[in-house]
Amino acid sequence: MSDRERGGRLGRAALKRSEILLNYLSKIMTDQDIWTVLLALGLAAAVSFASTPLVKALSVKVGAVDVPKDARRMHDHPIPRMGGLAIFFGFVAAMLLMVPLDTERKGMLLGAVIIVVLGIFDDIYALPAKPKFLVQIIAALIAVLAGNRIEVLSNPNIFSPNPYWELGVLSVPFTVIWIVAITNAVNLIDGLDGLACGVSTISAATMLVIALLVSERDVAVIMAALAGACMGFLPYNFNPAKIFMGDTGATFLGFIMATMSVEGMFKQYTIISFVVPFLMLGLPIFDVCFAVVRRVSHGQSPMKPDRGHVHHRLIDMGFSQKQAVGVLYVISAILGLSAVVLTAGGAEKAMIFLLAMAAAALIAWRVFLTGPGHDKPEEAEPSAPPEGSEPSAREEKGEDERG
């Protein structure tokens, strides 16, 4: 085959792929569901963005202010911390206008209202852990009894003759545990400016894409509302943060994502339905599991706060807040994209994608974070001052130059 014929064949193949892509994009842009999703996202973002300054003023007025008082805090001055109320306003406004409310959605919203009210009181008065945990169980139970429950699980053992597990009466406690665990998992990673809100945005966007792939229109619109509400709040929450979302926002985001994962993911009768929620919410799930094991192994209560979370470890490794948040965003995005590939292309493609992304992340780590530019310079020997020169003010005080 001559070079001209080979080039012509490659050109025709490229043209055909371009036509397929254009037809696919045209189909997407003419799909009414896409415009509904974008409208929900934009509405939630606008309401959240517009209401955040008002919520900030309200937080200061009622005393919902985070004052740095221990080593876990990454800020050095008081910051209002009830910003999750703006996220709640944006989400509810979009959902009430764009999504029909059946019994399951009403139960989810009622449980979410309880979570938000609990978060407001906690941001103002710093409530003890056990009463908060009890109220979270009640809120989860309301959502579960309204129909948001995991009744069937796909068996992860592909060699088993029984492909599904019927939970029966265990569906209620199993789902309550899932919702409460994810609610607290998102709250636990809320330790750096923009971290929990950004990770929640990525997780919600992942669930949005998957819902569109499996034709779950209402789930997609709800996730668009959640992602939009987070995006409207993020400009105020990026480092240096003007306001924190506090327990009001972190627990609300965890509650909604946990409940919607039950409705949108676990009800599919495939092995994918078992894995996808764990990939979408992989970062907070890993962090909460690691935190529980760490605390229990040290003889502490699983609810005892400490400075051992993954974001704290990145800061202790020398990352700035922005760098640490960026690293965790990338990890969350890789897990989210793996969940999308798993849903659209099957387990083999998802595994290949996940391994490729892990290899790319490792190479980036080696090149950009441990390369020559990041080597710690050797400390030079202090040179003696010239004879006759006056000692500096620091030397007069006898202070150590290294603090």
Side-chain angles (χ1 to χ4, degrees):
M1 181 184 296
S2 66
D3 291 341
R4 180 177 295 180
E5 290 175 344
R6 186 180 295 108
R9 179 173 293 183
L10 292 175
R12 287 191 295 272
L15 182 60
K16 185 175 182 180
R17 285 194 296 268
S18 300
E19 290 177 353
I20 294 174
L21 179 60
L22 289 173
N23 289 335
Y24 182 69
L25 291 174
S26 176
K27 182 180 179 181
I28 289 177
M29 297 307 293
T30 55
D31 191 342
Q32 186 177 358
D33 290 348
I34 295 296
W35 292 108
T36 303
V37 165
L38 292 176
L39 181 59
L41 189 147
L43 176 61
V47 173
S48 176
F49 183 82
S51 60
T52 298
L54 302 177
V55 171
K56 180 182 178 182
L58 177 63
S59 301
V60 174
K61 187 173 183 179
V62 300
V65 178
D66 195 307
V67 179
K69 56 187 177 183
D70 55 42
R72 293 188 304 114
R73 264 68 174 183
M74 295 290 108
H75 55 289
D76 56 6
H77 62 280
I79 297 178
R81 64 177 179 189
M82 207 167 65
L85 197 56
I87 298 176
F88 174 74
F89 289 154
F91 173 79
V92 170
M95 185 169 175
L96 292 180
L97 292 175
M98 310 285 300
V99 181
L101 295 182
D102 55 14
T103 303
E104 293 181 3
R105 287 4 165 338
K106 290 177 181 177
M108 181 190 71
L109 282 179
L110 180 56
V113 169
I114 294 174
I115 290 292
V116 169
V117 172
L118 173 66
I120 291 172
F121 277 95
D122 189 33
D123 287 335
I124 297 174
Y125 302 110
L127 303 176
K130 290 182 179 178
K132 289 193 296 183
F133 191 65
L134 179 61
V135 175
Q136 288 172 356
I137 292 176
I138 294 173
L141 197 57
I142 290 174
V144 171
L145 294 179
N148 299 285
R149 68 182 69 175
I150 305 168
E151 297 176 342
V152 178
L153 278 180
S154 51
N155 190 344
N157 181 9
I158 59 177
F159 302 104
S160 173
N162 184 14
Y164 308 113
W165 291 336
E166 295 280 351
L167 294 180
V169 294
L170 295 178
S171 65
V172 172
F174 190 91
T175 312
V176 168
I177 291 171
W178 168 259
I179 293 175
V180 173
I182 299 301
T183 298
N184 286 282
V186 175
N187 192 29
L188 284 177
I189 66 168
D190 187 24
L192 298 178
D193 296 350
L195 177 56
C197 192
V199 169
S200 297
T201 304
I202 295 170
S203 298
T206 301
M207 205 180 303
L208 161 61
V209 173
I210 293 175
L212 290 174
L213 289 175
V214 298
S215 302
E216 289 278 358
R217 177 189 176 278
D218 290 344
V219 174
V221 174
I222 293 172
M223 286 298 98
L226 190 67
C230 292
M231 291 167 65
F233 178 73
L234 270 174
Y236 301 96
N237 193 228
F238 280 131
N239 181 263
K242 301 177 182 66
I243 184 173
F244 297 150
M245 63 180 179
D247 276 25
T248 305
T251 53
F252 166 72
L253 291 176
F255 182 86
I256 295 296
M257 286 192 293
T259 306
M260 291 310 301
S261 70
V262 169
E263 179 174 347
M265 300 297 122
F266 278 117
K267 290 188 177 181
Q268 299 176 46
Y269 288 72
T270 63
I271 184 65
I272 292 174
S273 68
F274 184 86
V275 178
V276 165
F278 291 93
L279 283 174
M280 290 187 308
L281 303 167
L283 184 60
I285 289 175
F286 166 80
D287 194 49
V288 72
C289 292
F290 190 75
V292 170
V293 171
R294 181 180 65 249
R295 293 166 185 174
V296 171
S297 64
H298 288 85
Q300 300 173 340
S301 167
M303 297 182 183
K304 180 180 175 62
D306 60 18
R307 202 179 183 280
H309 294 288
V310 61
H311 51 273
H312 290 134
R313 292 175 179 270
L314 289 173
I315 295 294
D316 293 341
M317 289 170 62
F319 289 90
S320 68
Q321 279 207 49
K322 291 180 180 178
Q323 290 172 332
V325 169
V327 169
L328 295 175
Y329 279 2
V330 170
I331 293 173
S332 187
I334 290 174
L335 293 172
L337 286 172
S338 300
V340 173
V341 173
L342 177 62
T343 305
E348 292 180 358
K349 290 183 179 179
M351 183 61 66
I352 293 172
F353 176 83
L354 188 58
L355 291 175
M357 289 297 100
L362 179 60
I363 293 172
W365 179 284
R366 297 289 298 178
V367 171
F368 296 108
L369 300 178
T370 61
H374 290 265
D375 291 340
K376 189 175 180 179
E378 295 182 2
E379 294 183 0
E381 292 291 332
S383 58
E387 293 185 6
S389 63
E390 295 183 1
S392 66
R394 185 181 288 270
E395 289 171 337
E396 286 182 347
K397 295 180 181 179
E399 293 178 359
D400 187 352
E401 289 291 340
R402 292 188 294 270

